[in-house]
Amino acid sequence: MNVSDHVFWKNKEFQEETRNANLAVAMFVKRCFTFMDRGFTFKLISNYVNMIASGDNKTLCEYKFEFLREVCNHEHHIPLSLPIPSAKITDQASPSQTQSTQDVPEYSLTNEYCRKHFLTGLLLREVGFALQEDQDIRHLALAILKNLMAKHSLDDRYADKSKQARIASLYLPLYGMLLDNMPRFFMRDIFPFNFNSSNQGSRDDLSVSGGLQNQVASALRQANSVDTSFSKEVLNSITAFSSLAVSTANHVDSRASLISIESNPSNSDKNSEKTDACEKFARPLSLIGSALRFDKLDQAETRSLLMCFLHIMKTISEDVIVSYWQRAVHQEISDFFNILELCLQHFRFLGKRHIARKLAAAVKLAQATQNNGTLKGSSSSAQAPGLLSQWMHSSQDGHRHCRSMTMPIIRGKNALSNPKLLQMIDSANAGSNGNVAETDTLNPTDMEANVATEVCLTVLDILGLFTQHHKKQLQQDDGQNPLMRKVFDTYLLFLQINQSTAALKHVFAALRLFIHKFPSAFFQGKADLCGSLCYEILKCCNHRSCSTQTEASALLYFFMRKNFEFTKGKSIVRSHLQLIKAVSQLIADAGIGGSRFQQSLAIINNFANGDAPLKSTSFPAEVKDLTKRIRTVLMATSQMKEHEKDPEMLVDLQYSLANSYASTPELRRTWLESMAKIHVRNGDLSEAAMCYIHIAALIAEYLKRRGYWKAEKARNSSVFTEDANLINYNQLLTSRDGESSFIMGWAAFLCITPNVKEEGAMKEDIGIQDTPYTEDTLVEQLELCGDYLWKAERHELIADVNKPVIAVFEKRRDFKRLSELYYDIHRSYLKVTEVVNSEKRLFGRYYRVAFYGQGFFEEEESKEFIYKEPKLTGLSEISQRLMKLYSDKFGAEHVKMIQDSNKINPKDLDSKYAYIQVTYVTPYFDEKELQEKRTDFERHHNIRRFVFETPFTLSGKKHGDVEEQCKRRTILTTSSSFPYVKKRVQVIDQQSTELNPIEVAIDEMSRKVSELNQLCYMDEVDMIRLQLKLQGSVSVKVNAGPMAYARAFLEEKNAKKYPDNQVKLLKEIFRQFAEACGHALEVNERLIKEDQLEYQEEMKAHYRDMLSELSTVMNEQLHYGTISSSFCSSLSNMSLATVSKTDCVQGGHSKASRIGAASRLSSNQ
């Protein structure tokens, strides 16, 4: 049995001995390079490493990497990893295939790569396999790779830049390893990436949940089939030139051995001259295979991999990178930028205080663990140094990995004796005492800050190199292409994450160069790139660092200047609009507007005033106007902050800003969207849907005025004239010549809400020309509106929203979208049928709210509003909400609620108090509207008139006997219809009428009759409601209910006091009341069961008693069945105008009141 067999079989029984034996074998093999054939030594290494396969126990895997660490630490590792210049390594592949791939950069771990670079290929292969193992093995493998690369970068023999570039090219297959493992990277707070690779053989699509078990099984099968040893061809090729290797290694100086760098086929001269016509290639399959794990790499592992990648990118030859970019397919270019974004995210600057807190927490945890006795011994730790900083980053910003609760540095038995940790503890203690000792090493906080800055500068260099060699591709379609978007997003990420002040100076310089190179991407075509950049620069203008503020202000001024130059001195409309829009968005997102931001605006003005070449142009005035408008928005922002807890006032302020930008659709849209977000946050979904309807109307009106559909009609006219049958192909949903109803502009949405008339007031100036809206934008808004209408349960509007969209997709022959739209309409009508029959849908309640108190309410003083409240909101609930809201503003001792609904004279109120009056109101409809609005939805949609009643007596009391009880009916009209983009709408008109006692009786009895008939003629009779209403009609006390009205106004001695026509009308109503009660009794008898027969008989007895008393009072015989069947027609033919003008209002309201009462009863039950 040889030594390797002893190590393999005895490792569990004799751990210490086998570990020492493993290291001894490694040292022996390393010395063999000096005395033996290189190829023979490579075979020894390969056989020994392949003895331990993936999946073996953890101890054996550790032995393997300790062996590799010792072997790879050979002083001539680099010469041993490079091919011999005179040796010709042949491949069994076809000559054409060899020739086509010889210039391809070796960034995948292939057989060809391993033939040329055995030691490096072996290490990279084993690291790749280790990434599929447990976390401890992954940490060990990555530490060996990272330390080896660091050793090479610090080796004085290879200090020359070209030599470092050649060494970096040795590790280029690590990039392929990164691509393979991208789905596993730790990506907290990192933007979602598209992980679909061009190499389908080595990267799985993990986004498909269906069949996941099959994917796992397939991956495992493939893993078992991967041959972890090098092919015989590789080792035979190495042996073929082993004698040359020995002579070179022994007799040539280690620096001279780098001659293989120069003799190796170089891509520098060839690829620098390549054009876009060069052949694209897909990445070759890796030897590691595609059997990837599904678990995530922790942050320490991700940072190690990315640090190695960045070192390669920093030191490798530019020609190699450019050659790869020119040949790689688009998806791999996208993945390359995804990795750069990952680097920026994982090495972002956190601030020295944050790093120090993490370090202190790590030290405290380590000391606590030692005190608890969990760490023993004093021998040096076997763990690699520097793991403490990795632990610090594994839980930053409150995120904790599933294994990050334990510091990696204390996994060893004697972790606290680690010199690195002891040094950190001493440094932290010295820093806390204010005595920082001068040491040769950097403080951990400075180290992290320097690493973040170095990563930032490295990525900036790579981006600059890419834009330099891909200017033509980036400028395609005026910069409106996916490649430009990807590069711009990476640039933008520098401003979206934390950066040090030193790094930001370079970022701003790079952005200035980028804007100078590609102005058309920002100032022509779509404005999304321009808007995104303005948003991030404005955030930096609010930075706490004065130097960053100045740099951001300078960049913003440069941006506007380039815009002015791009338009040949005409205007800065694009940057003006996008900056105002960005300010509007930042109001809610970042809370800008303080002294720092004001200072940045002043800096920009100073730049404009001091710019001598542009002093005679309109540019300084335009900059001044822009900063003035920004300050106006900021003033509104300060008001919004004062009212941030008052949702109604907050929306009112944003609505006023939206109206102020009637000439700039994009800015008006921004504020309408902001209002919609507030409504969604507060649960007011109907109002949110109306905001999106207004946005759609705004876009339609804009497209109409720009002649969008006229141009489209002109393009299609030639097609239509060729075949007359195509004309008017859908008369139902499209207008003449196949035109969409959108061509009407805002008027296309009048069927949904009359409030869209506001969008017709759009002013036309130069700002309207820079809004890139299309018909697709309009369709997207309507789809969004449809979603919120569903959530708001306004299903009846779904069809009206979808019909114009249907016309668009019919014109495009998009039958899939048409089927989806028709299915939505089908579902909406099914839902309407369901809710109409069940009567379970509630649309909200309405309240009149009046404010009094000049010293408190200012503009709202003496104004009345109608508030729309959610569903079952009661009077006490809204009163308490408003009381708390204004008590917080003015102080509880200064706010009073007015408890009644009487008309208020402000002069009679105490100026020391803020008064609030809240009154429940119901929608009001006249007779014609009642006939048109038959459903509950129609009576809660597009309503702007409301009514409430106030009881009073002529003696001054609020309530009295029926003979003296009067009431005042008040009808309110609002400026806009509900639902609206706001939750409250101001009252613009108010009409009041007073009803005398007999008119009150007529109104109340008419209401009772209507309610009884409504209950009796329902498709599904609600027995509980019917019995309650019956009991209140026929089983009442002597001095209450309907009989009280009959005695007070219909007895002969009392009837003489009132006009004859009113007395006759009241008698007719009582006759119908008697008939309605009888009919209700019949319906109840038909529906009840045996256990309620006694109750039914009792109700009949009460009914007979009521008829008997009514006959006596009215001086005529009444009994059910003999009442005139023509009563309904006679009542409807009777002109209420002959009674009084008041009765006309009362008659219309009686039905509205009945509706309100029925809905209240339904809600209570």
Side-chain angles (χ1 to χ4, degrees):
M1 182 180 289
N2 55 33
V3 177
S4 60
D5 291 332
H6 278 285
V7 171
F8 186 83
W9 295 109
K10 303 290 185 178
N11 67 87
K12 293 182 180 179
E13 187 176 353
F14 305 103
Q15 279 196 3
E16 195 67 28
E17 291 82 354
T18 52
R19 184 179 297 273
N20 293 333
N22 178 64
L23 291 175
V25 171
M27 296 175 67
F28 171 77
V29 170
K30 187 170 69 171
R31 301 194 67 179
C32 285
F33 282 116
T34 307
F35 304 105
M36 294 185 180
D37 180 82
R38 187 207 304 216
F40 176 74
T41 307
F42 284 165
K43 272 190 175 183
L44 291 178
I45 296 172
S46 178
N47 292 334
Y48 190 83
V49 169
N50 292 331
M51 172 189 69
I52 305 171
S54 297
D56 285 339
N57 65 62
K58 182 178 175 182
T59 303
L60 283 175
C61 290
E62 289 178 353
Y63 288 178
K64 176 170 65 175
F65 281 103
E66 289 171 1
F67 175 85
L68 285 173
R69 178 172 57 195
E70 185 66 29
V71 170
C72 291
N73 276 335
H74 193 282
E75 61 176 336
H76 299 303
H77 174 86
I78 296 300
L80 290 172
S81 293
L82 292 173
I84 301 303
S86 59
K88 294 186 178 180
I89 306 173
T90 58
D91 192 358
Q92 293 181 352
S94 63
S96 60
Q97 182 179 358
T98 304
Q99 184 176 0
S100 63
T101 59
Q102 64 181 354
D103 292 334
V104 175
E106 296 173 293
Y107 69 106
S108 285
L109 200 61
T110 59
N111 281 334
E112 177 68 19
Y113 173 85
C114 294
R115 285 189 183 93
K116 296 179 180 179
H117 320 288
F118 177 79
L119 282 183
T120 307
L122 177 65
L123 177 62
L124 290 176
R125 185 197 69 175
E126 294 303 326
V127 170
F129 284 127
L131 290 177
Q132 318 306 319
E133 300 293 336
D134 292 335
Q135 190 180 48
D136 292 334
I137 301 300
R138 299 200 300 258
H139 275 284
L140 179 61
L142 290 173
I144 292 172
L145 176 63
K146 188 167 63 172
N147 292 338
L148 184 62
M149 292 179 67
K151 176 186 173 184
H152 295 157
S153 67
L154 298 174
D155 196 327
D156 292 336
R157 296 173 296 172
Y158 313 128
D160 185 72
K161 185 177 179 181
S162 62
K163 295 175 182 179
Q164 283 292 325
R166 185 64 182 96
I167 293 172
S169 66
L170 284 176
Y171 295 100
L172 200 53
L174 183 67
Y175 170 62
M177 200 180 301
L178 280 173
L179 293 178
D180 289 337
N181 288 278
M182 271 187 71
R184 301 177 60 202
F185 283 154
F186 179 82
M187 292 189 295
R188 177 196 48 74
D189 292 341
I190 296 180
F191 301 126
F193 299 138
N194 179 15
F195 293 120
N196 295 328
S197 173
S198 60
N199 176 17
Q200 299 177 2
S202 63
R203 299 178 67 196
D204 299 323
D205 183 7
L206 302 182
S207 62
V208 181
S209 58
L212 183 60
Q213 296 177 352
N214 295 334
Q215 286 185 352
V216 177
S218 174
L220 292 175
R221 286 195 299 271
Q222 194 165 356
N224 295 332
S225 65
V226 173
D227 185 6
T228 58
S229 62
F230 286 114
S231 63
K232 294 181 179 179
E233 290 78 3
V234 177
L235 295 176
N236 290 336
S237 298
I238 294 172
T239 308
F241 60 87
S242 59
S243 58
L244 290 173
V246 173
S247 61
T248 304
N250 288 337
H251 301 99
V252 181
D253 183 72
S254 59
R255 293 176 184 266
S257 65
L258 282 171
I259 191 172
S260 59
I261 298 177
E262 299 173 0
S263 62
N264 197 47
S266 174
N267 299 325
S268 58
D269 297 331
K270 300 176 183 179
N271 291 336
S272 60
E273 300 175 358
K274 294 287 184 181
T275 63
D276 296 340
C278 71
E279 182 183 357
K280 303 290 183 181
F281 68 90
R283 184 162 59 91
L285 293 178
S286 171
L287 289 177
I288 299 172
S290 61
L292 297 181
R293 290 169 66 100
F294 291 89
D295 60 328
K296 296 289 183 181
L297 300 176
D298 66 22
Q299 189 166 12
E301 295 162 347
T302 304
R303 282 168 62 91
S304 295
L305 281 169
L306 294 178
M307 189 173 289
C308 295
F309 166 76
L310 286 169
H311 174 71
I312 294 170
M313 291 296 107
K314 180 182 177 181
T315 56
I316 201 169
S317 169
E318 291 182 357
D319 296 328
V320 174
I321 303 179
V322 173
S323 174
Y324 163 68
W325 285 335
Q326 291 176 342
R327 293 177 174 273
V329 295
H330 173 74
Q331 183 57 51
E332 287 197 4
I333 294 291
S334 178
D335 286 340
F336 180 83
F337 284 104
N338 288 341
I339 294 177
L340 292 183
E341 292 178 358
L342 274 170
C343 294
L344 291 175
Q345 284 282 3
H346 280 282
F347 294 99
R348 63 189 181 278
F349 182 69
L350 300 173
K352 293 187 176 181
R353 292 182 181 177
H354 184 92
I355 297 171
R357 284 198 300 268
K358 287 292 179 184
L359 176 61
V363 172
K364 187 176 180 180
L365 176 60
Q367 291 174 338
T369 309
Q370 185 185 39
N371 294 336
N372 290 336
T374 57
L375 295 175
K376 298 179 181 179
S378 57
S379 61
S380 60
S381 173
Q383 298 291 332
L387 290 176
L388 181 63
S389 60
Q390 296 176 355
W391 174 82
M392 289 161 52
H393 289 279
S394 67
S395 58
Q396 61 190 7
D397 295 337
H399 178 90
R400 293 189 178 272
H401 190 269
C402 59
R403 298 185 61 176
S404 65
M405 297 299 292
T406 303
M407 289 200 308
I409 200 168
I410 62 175
R411 287 178 184 163
K413 296 180 180 179
N414 308 307
L416 275 183
S417 60
N418 187 299
K420 184 71 174 178
L421 178 58
L422 295 175
Q423 179 186 342
M424 287 183 175
I425 294 175
D426 294 339
S427 176
N429 293 334
S432 62
N433 296 329
N435 301 319
V436 181
E438 292 185 4
T439 60
D440 295 334
T441 59
L442 284 172
N443 185 282
T445 56
D446 294 331
M447 192 183 304
E448 288 295 328
N450 290 343
V451 167
T453 303
E454 184 67 22
V455 169
C456 174
L457 297 179
T458 302
V459 177
L460 278 178
D461 289 341
I462 296 171
L463 286 173
L465 182 65
F466 185 87
T467 55
Q468 178 183 348
H469 289 84
H470 293 78
K471 189 172 182 179
K472 187 181 296 184
Q473 294 93 320
L474 291 169
Q475 286 179 335
Q476 288 179 357
D477 301 326
D478 295 324
Q480 307 297 321
N481 57 79
L483 183 61
M484 170 59 81
R485 182 79 230 190
K486 194 65 187 174
V487 173
F488 173 75
D489 286 343
T490 309
Y491 269 112
L492 207 61
L493 189 59
F494 286 102
L495 302 180
Q496 292 171 339
I497 62 177
N498 292 330
Q499 299 288 354
S500 64
T501 304
L504 278 175
K505 292 181 180 179
H506 297 277
V507 171
F508 288 129
L511 284 172
R512 283 195 292 271
L513 180 61
F514 186 71
I515 295 167
H516 177 74
K517 282 184 177 179
F518 308 103
S520 60
F522 299 97
F523 308 124
Q524 193 169 327
K526 292 183 178 180
D528 50 345
L529 299 187
C530 179
S532 300
L533 184 60
C534 290
Y535 181 90
E536 298 301 335
I537 297 176
L538 283 174
K539 278 173 63 177
C540 293
C541 287
N542 201 40
H543 201 275
R544 61 178 175 270
S545 169
C546 293
S547 61
T548 301
Q549 273 182 253
T550 305
E551 290 283 347
S553 302
L555 176 60
L556 193 57
Y557 175 77
F558 176 80
F559 187 72
M560 291 187 288
R561 196 178 194 275
K562 293 301 294 183
N563 188 8
F564 189 75
E565 293 173 356
F566 186 80
T567 60
K568 298 179 180 179
K570 293 181 181 179
S571 67
I572 56 169
V573 173
R574 170 65 64 90
S575 56
H576 179 114
L577 295 180
Q578 296 305 318
L579 283 169
I580 295 293
K581 181 182 177 183
V583 170
S584 305
Q585 292 171 336
L586 282 168
I587 286 172
D589 298 343
I592 64 171
S595 59
R596 293 196 296 263
F597 193 79
Q598 296 287 350
Q599 184 179 357
S600 297
L601 295 179
I603 293 173
I604 293 172
N605 274 328
N606 292 337
F607 280 138
N609 294 331
D611 198 342
L614 297 179
K615 217 163 192 179
S616 59
T617 66
S618 62
F619 181 67
E622 291 196 42
V623 173
K624 185 176 181 180
D625 177 64
L626 173 59
T627 54
K628 182 179 178 181
R629 283 181 176 250
I630 291 176
R631 286 192 174 97
T632 302
V633 175
L634 294 177
M635 288 177 61
T637 305
S638 62
Q639 288 183 325
M640 291 179 190
K641 287 184 177 179
E642 294 176 7
H643 302 285
E644 60 185 355
K645 295 184 179 180
D646 185 351
E648 289 82 15
M649 178 61 76
L650 185 60
V651 170
D652 281 355
L653 289 172
Q654 294 197 351
Y655 180 71
S656 64
L657 276 174
N659 286 339
S660 68
Y661 291 114
S663 59
T664 50
E666 187 69 9
L667 298 180
R668 178 172 173 81
R669 175 187 178 181
T670 300
W671 286 108
L672 287 172
E673 286 178 341
S674 179
M675 293 165 61
K677 291 177 183 177
I678 294 175
H679 288 312
V680 172
R681 189 165 61 241
N682 296 331
D684 303 316
L685 301 178
S686 295
E687 285 69 29
M690 290 301 111
C691 288
Y692 290 113
I693 282 291
H694 276 253
I695 293 173
L698 174 71
I699 296 173
E701 182 65 16
Y702 162 80
L703 293 175
K704 174 189 173 184
R705 297 194 184 190
R706 293 297 304 273
Y708 180 86
W709 287 288
K710 288 182 181 178
E712 183 178 309
K713 183 179 178 182
R715 290 194 299 269
N716 295 334
S717 60
S718 59
V719 179
F720 287 149
T721 53
E722 292 177 4
D723 189 354
N725 294 328
L726 292 177
I727 299 179
N728 204 16
Y729 57 86
N730 191 335
Q731 298 180 1
L732 177 62
L733 296 178
T734 56
S735 56
R736 183 169 50 85
D737 295 335
E739 296 171 352
S740 168
S741 60
F742 290 150
I743 200 171
M744 300 165 60
W746 62 265
F749 303 94
L750 276 175
C751 59
I752 299 174
T753 172
N755 298 323
V756 293
K757 292 179 182 178
E758 297 173 1
E759 310 310 325
M762 179 190 298
K763 301 175 184 177
E764 298 198 28
D765 65 1
I766 194 170
I768 199 174
Q769 301 173 6
D770 195 61
T771 309
Y773 290 144
T774 64
E775 195 173 58
D776 290 328
T777 315
L778 184 53
V779 170
E780 289 173 5
Q781 284 298 321
L782 289 175
E783 289 175 347
L784 192 58
C785 175
D787 292 339
Y788 282 105
L789 288 175
W790 266 105
K791 295 175 183 177
E793 298 185 90
R794 294 185 178 268
H795 312 294
E796 288 85 347
L797 298 177
I798 300 296
D800 290 328
V801 169
N802 282 345
K803 282 177 183 177
V805 181
I806 286 174
V808 173
F809 290 120
E810 284 182 340
K811 181 176 58 181
R812 300 179 184 178
R813 311 296 196 274
D814 191 338
F815 302 111
K816 180 179 178 181
R817 296 299 304 274
L818 285 171
S819 65
E820 295 171 354
L821 290 170
Y822 277 113
Y823 179 66
D824 286 342
I825 295 176
H826 167 71
R827 286 195 306 131
S828 68
Y829 283 132
L830 286 179
K831 197 69 177 177
V832 169
T833 305
E834 176 187 337
V835 295
V836 166
N837 291 335
S838 64
E839 294 187 353
K840 292 180 180 179
R841 183 169 50 166
L842 301 172
F843 291 100
R845 292 185 175 180
Y846 304 90
Y847 294 91
R848 180 198 68 146
V849 180
F851 301 98
Y852 302 98
Q854 180 65 41
F856 297 94
F857 294 109
E858 298 177 355
E859 296 180 359
E860 293 181 331
E861 202 275 330
S862 297
K863 289 184 179 178
E864 297 181 2
F865 299 88
I866 298 297
Y867 278 60
K868 178 179 175 290
E869 293 296 306
K871 297 188 177 181
L872 294 176
T873 304
L875 179 62
S876 60
E877 187 176 346
I878 183 176
S879 298
Q880 290 174 7
R881 180 173 75 84
L882 294 176
M883 185 70 183
K884 183 180 185 306
L885 174 65
Y886 289 101
S887 294
D888 293 341
K889 281 185 180 182
F890 310 134
E893 67 278 5
H894 297 296
V895 181
K896 288 187 177 182
M897 297 293 296
I898 300 176
Q899 300 297 334
D900 57 50
S901 57
N902 291 321
K903 192 172 182 62
I904 302 298
N905 185 1
K907 295 181 181 179
D908 298 336
L909 300 176
D910 191 341
S911 59
K912 297 179 182 179
Y913 299 100
Y915 294 91
I916 306 172
Q917 186 182 35
V918 183
T919 309
Y920 174 69
V921 297
T922 57
Y924 172 80
F925 308 101
D926 57 28
E927 290 292 337
K928 182 181 179 181
E929 289 174 323
L930 281 173
Q931 293 176 3
E932 294 174 352
K933 296 178 179 289
R934 298 182 180 180
T935 66
D936 198 34
F937 166 78
E938 292 169 343
R939 291 172 179 174
H940 285 86
H941 186 69
N942 290 342
I943 52 175
R944 56 179 302 204
R945 290 200 294 174
F946 300 86
V947 64
F948 68 93
E949 295 174 344
T950 308
F952 70 96
T953 62
L954 296 178
S955 61
K957 297 180 180 180
K958 189 173 182 179
H959 296 285
D961 296 334
V962 292
E963 296 90 346
E964 56 179 349
Q965 184 67 60
C966 303
K967 68 180 177 181
R968 183 181 300 106
R969 176 174 296 139
T970 305
I971 301 173
L972 308 172
T973 305
T974 56
S975 59
S976 302
S977 301
F978 284 94
Y980 188 41
V981 295
K982 299 190 297 180
K983 243 187 83 176
R984 71 172 185 180
V985 182
Q986 186 176 347
V987 175
I988 59 172
D989 185 57
Q990 180 173 312
Q991 295 180 354
S992 296
T993 55
E994 295 183 354
L995 279 65
N996 60 34
I998 190 171
E999 290 171 343
V1000 172
I1002 292 172
D1003 185 66
E1004 292 296 327
M1005 291 306 301
S1006 298
R1007 184 178 304 171
K1008 286 183 178 292
V1009 171
S1010 178
E1011 290 171 353
L1012 280 171
N1013 287 333
Q1014 183 181 4
L1015 288 170
C1016 291
Y1017 291 104
M1018 288 176 63
D1019 293 337
E1020 296 180 6
V1021 179
D1022 189 335
M1023 283 186 57
I1024 297 177
R1025 291 173 58 192
L1026 179 63
Q1027 291 177 359
L1028 287 173
K1029 191 61 63 178
L1030 261 177
Q1031 191 171 356
S1033 299
V1034 300
S1035 302
V1036 294
K1037 296 180 180 179
V1038 176
N1039 296 321
M1043 292 309 304
Y1045 289 123
R1047 296 189 198 95
F1049 303 112
L1050 297 182
E1051 285 185 349
E1052 189 173 353
K1053 61 180 180 179
N1054 296 330
K1056 296 177 181 180
K1057 302 176 184 178
Y1058 305 102
D1060 290 342
N1061 56 350
Q1062 292 183 346
V1063 173
K1064 289 180 181 178
L1065 179 58
L1066 185 57
K1067 284 185 177 181
E1068 291 289 349
I1069 292 174
F1070 265 100
R1071 293 189 188 100
Q1072 187 180 16
F1073 174 69
E1075 183 177 8
C1077 289
H1079 182 58
L1081 282 170
E1082 286 183 353
V1083 172
N1084 188 61
E1085 186 173 14
R1086 189 168 63 248
L1087 297 175
I1088 62 173
K1089 298 180 180 179
E1090 294 181 357
D1091 57 342
Q1092 289 189 321
L1093 290 176
E1094 184 178 350
Y1095 172 76
Q1096 175 71 9
E1097 291 300 324
E1098 183 181 354
M1099 296 288 286
K1100 284 184 177 181
H1102 287 304
Y1103 176 61
R1104 286 192 292 270
D1105 294 340
M1106 185 190 73
L1107 286 180
S1108 175
E1109 188 172 357
L1110 266 179
S1111 300
T1112 304
V1113 171
M1114 295 174 59
N1115 204 14
E1116 62 181 81
Q1117 188 64 34
L1118 290 177
H1119 56 84
Y1120 180 64
T1122 62
I1123 300 176
S1124 173
S1125 61
S1126 62
F1127 170 77
C1128 295
S1129 59
S1130 64
L1131 181 62
S1132 61
N1133 291 331
M1134 182 177 292
S1135 175
L1136 296 182
T1138 59
V1139 180
S1140 67
K1141 292 183 179 180
T1142 302
D1143 291 334
C1144 181
V1145 179
Q1146 157 208 320
H1149 170 63
S1150 64
K1151 295 189 179 182
S1153 302
R1154 292 195 297 273
I1155 297 165
S1159 64
R1160 289 193 299 272
L1161 183 57
S1162 174
S1163 301
N1164 292 333
Q1165 294 180 16

